[in-house]
Amino acid sequence: MIEILSYTFFQKAILTAFLASISCGIIGSYVVSKRIVFISDGITHASFGGIGLGYFLGLNPIMTAMIFGILSAFGIRFISSKGNIREDSTIGIFLALGMAVGIIFIYLTPGYAPDLSSYLFGNILTVTSNDIVFSSVITLISSAGIILFYKEILFVAFDEQYAKIMKLKVEFINYSMIALVALVVVVNIRIAGVILIISLLTIPQTTALLISKRFNMIIILSIIIGLISSIAGLYLSFYLNIPSGASIVFSEAMIFMTVKLVYLSKRG
Amino acid sequence: MNEPLIDIKNISAGYNGSKIIENINLTVFENDFLGIIGPNGGGKSTLLKVIIGLLKPDKGEVILKRKLKFGYLPQINLNDIRFPITVKNVILSGLAAEKKIFQRFNKNDHKKAYEIMEEFGLAEYSNSPFGELSGGQIQRTFLSRAIISDPDVLFLDEPTAFTDKGFSKNLYKILLEKNKNTTIVMVSHDTGVISSYVKNIACINRTLHYHSGNEITTEILDKYVCPVEIITHGTLPHRVLMMHKDKK
C-alpha cells in the first residue's frame, strides 16, 4: 500500500489528484449550483478541437485546448445572449463541432497520435511536470478567485438581476467564471479525459449538496470528496490494473451512492 | 405636492422587438406611494424594470433627479430558487452595493439583517437553505433584501402574491411606516388594497393613464379594462368600487 508512493509517477499522480480536487471542487461547486453542467460539458468537448490542433501544429495540446475551451465558452455565451438561438442548441453545436475539428486535425497529422487515448479517457499516470505546472497555476487562480471574490461570485450566481441593481460587475464575473470553467476542465483533462472529466466537477459536488446547502460548505466538502475518491481511484487503478480515469469516476459514484443511501435510511 | 424624483419620458420597451409598453410618461414624486395597476401582460413589471435600469428601453429616457439608492422586490418564480445559499446571505446581498470589492460584511450589517429577520418572522430561518422556504417566506426574504439598505426608492412587484392575509396586513403597516422617508412604487393586481394605501395610481395596459389621488374610478377601469379584486372582508381598510363592463 505504502511502497507504491516511492514511485515518481505515482507521486506525480497524487499531486495532480490533489490539485484537481481543489480546482474542480471550487469550480464544480459553481457549475453545479448555477446549473451550468451542460455548458461545461460542451466546453470540454469543444476543447478537443484544440487538442487536435496542438497535435497538428506540434504544440502542447493542453495549451491549444485552453484557447479552444475559452473561445468556445465565450462563443456559446455570446451567441445565446443574442436571443435568437437557444443556449442548449448552441452548446450542442459547439460540442460536436469541437470534436469534429479535433478528429480532422488528428487525422491530418502524419503518423500515430501518441497519448490520444489519455486525452479521451484520461490517464493520470502519464501526467508530465509541465501538466503539473499548468494545474498548479489554475488551482492557485481558482482558489484566490473564490476567496477574494466570494460574495461577488455568490451573489451574481444566485441572482444576476439583483446583482446588477447592486452594481456588481455581473458580465465580468460571468465571463471570468466561464473562462475558469474552461481552464479547469482543460488542465485536468489528463485525469479523466474529455469524456469523463465533467464527473470531477459534478459528482463530488452533487454528493456535497446532499450533505449541505451552503455554498462555502459545498466547496469544502467537494474538495474532500474529490480527494478521497481520486486517491481511492488511483489505488484501484494500480492494483486492479484498470484505467485510472474510469476508476476515479467509479470511486466518486460509489461515495455518492453511499451518502445517498445513508440519507435515505436516515429518513426512514 | 412633493418634488419630482424620477421622470419617465416617452418610454417604449419590450423584449426581442415586441412592444409591451408604449410612450409612457410618468413622474414619481419624493415620498410618493405610487400604485401601478393593470391587466396581466399589460406591462406593469416591464415598466418597473425599465425604471430600475434592468431593461433598456427602445425609446425614451428615465431621468433620476438625484443619485438614488434602489430596493427591488421582483416577481417570484419558485422554479428558479434552488441555489445553495442561506436566508441571511440572501438578505445581506441587499447591501452589496455599499461594499467595496474584497470588503466583508461587518457586525453592523449582520445586526441589521437580524433586526429585519425579526421583523419579518424569519429569525429562526437565518441559517436555513433559501431553497427550502415556503413561497411566503421567500417573498419576505426578498423584501428584507430590498429594504436592508434603507433605499431611497422601493420598487415592489406583487408584494403579496405569496403572503398569507395575516402577513399582508403586517406588510402594509411596515410599508406605510417606511413611506415616511422612502418613496414606494408598487405593482399589484390587488386594486382594492392599492387604493387604500397609495397616494397616486397609474394604470397601465400598453399605454399609461395617471391618476393623481387614490380613488379608482370607473373611468380608469373602463378605459384600461383593469381587473379588480375587491376585498370586502377582513380588517384591512377597503373601498368598494363600482363594477365595470369588460370591453371587447
Side-chain angles (χ1 to χ4, degrees):
Chain A
M1 208 62 180
I2 301 294
E3 71 272 19
I4 62 163
L5 281 173
S6 60
Y7 296 118
T8 326
F9 76 88
F10 203 76
Q11 289 165 357
K12 273 188 187 167
I14 295 270
L15 183 57
T16 307
F18 176 73
L19 293 169
S21 305
I22 297 174
S23 60
C24 293
I26 295 168
I27 298 304
S29 298
Y30 174 81
V31 165
V32 169
S33 301
K34 201 162 189 272
R35 286 184 275 167
I36 52 167
V37 174
F38 188 42
I39 182 171
S40 308
D41 200 31
I43 294 167
T44 315
H45 283 74
S47 70
F48 187 71
I51 289 172
L53 184 65
Y55 272 116
F56 185 70
L57 298 176
L59 299 169
N60 185 334
I62 296 288
M63 284 289 279
T64 42
M66 281 186 189
I67 297 165
F68 249 71
I70 292 180
L71 289 181
S72 43
F74 288 176
I76 292 168
R77 267 287 140 85
F78 181 75
I79 291 175
S80 32
S81 74
K82 293 284 142 206
N84 297 325
I85 309 170
R86 279 171 36 187
E87 188 175 75
D88 55 342
S89 313
T90 318
I91 296 168
I93 294 167
F94 271 81
L95 185 157
L97 181 63
M99 288 299 276
V101 169
I103 293 165
I104 291 170
F105 276 126
I106 287 169
Y107 183 81
L108 290 177
T109 308
Y112 171 70
D115 287 350
L116 180 60
S117 81
S118 82
Y119 289 113
L120 279 174
F121 306 110
N123 187 351
I124 198 171
L125 303 173
T126 62
V127 288
T128 64
S129 305
N130 253 342
D131 293 338
I132 293 179
V133 172
F134 281 144
S135 184
S136 308
V137 172
I138 300 302
T139 305
L140 204 66
I141 294 175
S142 321
S143 314
I146 198 76
I147 291 168
L148 294 175
F149 303 106
Y150 182 74
K151 73 174 185 315
E152 286 79 10
I153 293 169
L154 176 69
F155 294 159
V156 171
F158 168 64
D159 188 343
E160 266 181 32
Q161 187 175 266
Y162 213 80
K164 261 180 210 155
I165 299 174
M166 290 292 113
K167 312 219 173 349
L168 300 180
K169 307 258 175 286
V170 173
E171 288 300 297
F172 175 76
I173 288 176
N174 276 339
Y175 273 95
S176 309
M177 289 307 283
I178 203 72
L180 255 183
V181 170
L183 290 173
V184 165
V185 155
V186 171
V187 295
N188 290 310
I189 271 183
R190 290 275 208 160
I191 297 176
V194 167
I195 297 169
L196 301 180
I197 186 71
I198 194 68
S199 69
L200 270 70
L201 286 92
T202 48
I203 303 178
Q205 291 74 11
T206 311
T207 314
L209 261 169
L210 292 173
I211 303 168
S212 176
K213 295 282 185 298
R214 284 174 179 220
F215 192 56
N216 49 4
M217 276 309 286
I218 288 164
I219 293 174
I220 293 165
L221 287 169
S222 304
I223 293 173
I224 296 169
I225 295 167
L227 197 57
I228 295 171
S229 41
S230 43
I231 291 172
L234 273 178
Y235 274 94
L236 268 181
S237 140
F238 187 80
Y239 287 105
L240 300 177
N241 197 21
I242 53 174
S244 58
S247 64
I248 290 172
V249 174
F250 186 75
S251 309
E252 287 175 343
M254 282 298 117
I255 295 179
F256 172 76
M257 279 195 267
T258 312
V259 173
K260 181 80 191 167
L261 280 176
V262 169
Y263 272 80
L264 280 179
S265 64
K266 252 201 210 162
R267 216 186 286 162
Chain B
M1 187 67 87
N2 285 325
E3 291 295 303
L5 197 60
I6 303 173
D7 261 334
I8 292 129
K9 292 206 164 142
N10 283 317
I11 291 283
S12 295
Y15 303 93
N16 300 325
S18 72
K19 253 199 194 122
I20 296 183
I21 50 176
E22 241 184 309
N23 291 324
I24 305 286
N25 287 291
L26 177 68
T27 303
V28 181
F29 296 95
E30 192 99 46
N31 275 48
D32 204 346
F33 195 148
L34 174 69
I36 300 177
I37 58 173
N40 277 332
K44 302 188 293 288
S45 301
T46 308
L47 176 62
L48 220 51
K49 282 186 177 165
V50 171
I51 303 174
I52 297 165
L54 290 171
L55 180 68
K56 259 210 181 104
D58 302 326
K59 212 186 81 192
E61 55 181 339
V62 176
I63 302 161
L64 308 182
K65 295 292 181 184
R66 56 183 168 91
K67 204 166 176 276
L68 293 173
K69 209 192 306 176
F70 287 165
Y72 174 46
L73 172 74
Q75 233 180 81
I76 291 164
N77 179 356
L78 291 179
N79 291 322
D80 278 350
I81 293 158
R82 268 181 284 169
F83 193 90
I85 184 171
T86 59
V87 172
K88 190 169 79 180
N89 268 332
V90 174
I91 296 173
L92 282 173
S93 76
L95 290 170
E98 283 150 49
K99 295 282 153 189
K100 294 200 182 68
I101 214 149
F102 307 147
Q103 201 184 357
R104 292 181 180 266
F105 293 111
N106 57 32
K107 253 194 190 144
N108 225 342
D109 303 328
H110 284 273
K111 200 176 139 233
K112 226 172 174 184
Y114 276 116
E115 282 167 8
I116 293 179
M117 283 188 276
E118 286 286 345
E119 193 173 8
F120 285 137
L122 293 165
E124 59 184 300
Y125 303 104
S126 169
N127 285 315
S128 303
F130 183 62
E132 288 173 12
L133 298 182
S134 71
Q137 289 164 338
I138 285 170
Q139 196 147 35
R140 278 181 268 157
T141 307
F142 277 164
L143 194 66
S144 308
R145 176 180 71 174
I147 64 173
I148 191 171
S149 63
D150 293 318
D152 303 306
V153 190
L154 187 55
F155 295 92
L156 308 167
D157 201 342
E158 301 285 358
T160 54
F162 289 96
T163 51
D164 48 276
K165 291 285 180 214
F167 184 75
S168 293
K169 188 184 141 201
N170 212 342
L171 170 74
Y172 286 113
K173 226 190 261 167
I174 293 167
L175 290 182
L176 285 178
E177 184 59 37
K178 281 265 155 214
N179 191 220
K180 286 177 185 161
N181 43 31
T182 311
T183 306
I184 299 178
V185 179
M186 180 169 84
V187 159
S188 183
H189 276 103
D190 204 341
T191 42
V193 165
I194 280 232
S195 71
S196 335
Y197 292 98
V198 302
K199 296 174 181 162
N200 294 300
I201 293 172
C203 184
I204 184 162
N205 188 7
R206 196 174 165 98
T207 55
L208 183 136
H209 179 83
Y210 186 76
H211 193 79
S212 188
N214 61 2
E215 291 275 0
I216 296 179
T217 62
T218 45
E219 181 222 358
I220 302 180
L221 298 173
D222 247 18
K223 198 164 177 184
Y224 292 90
V225 203
C226 288
V228 187
E229 181 193 329
I230 300 170
I231 298 174
T232 54
H233 55 84
T235 48
L236 289 168
H238 62 264
R239 286 188 180 85
V240 179
L241 304 160
M242 284 176 68
M243 295 293 289
H244 66 97
K245 278 176 259 154
D246 271 355
K247 271 196 173 169
K248 288 279 143 101

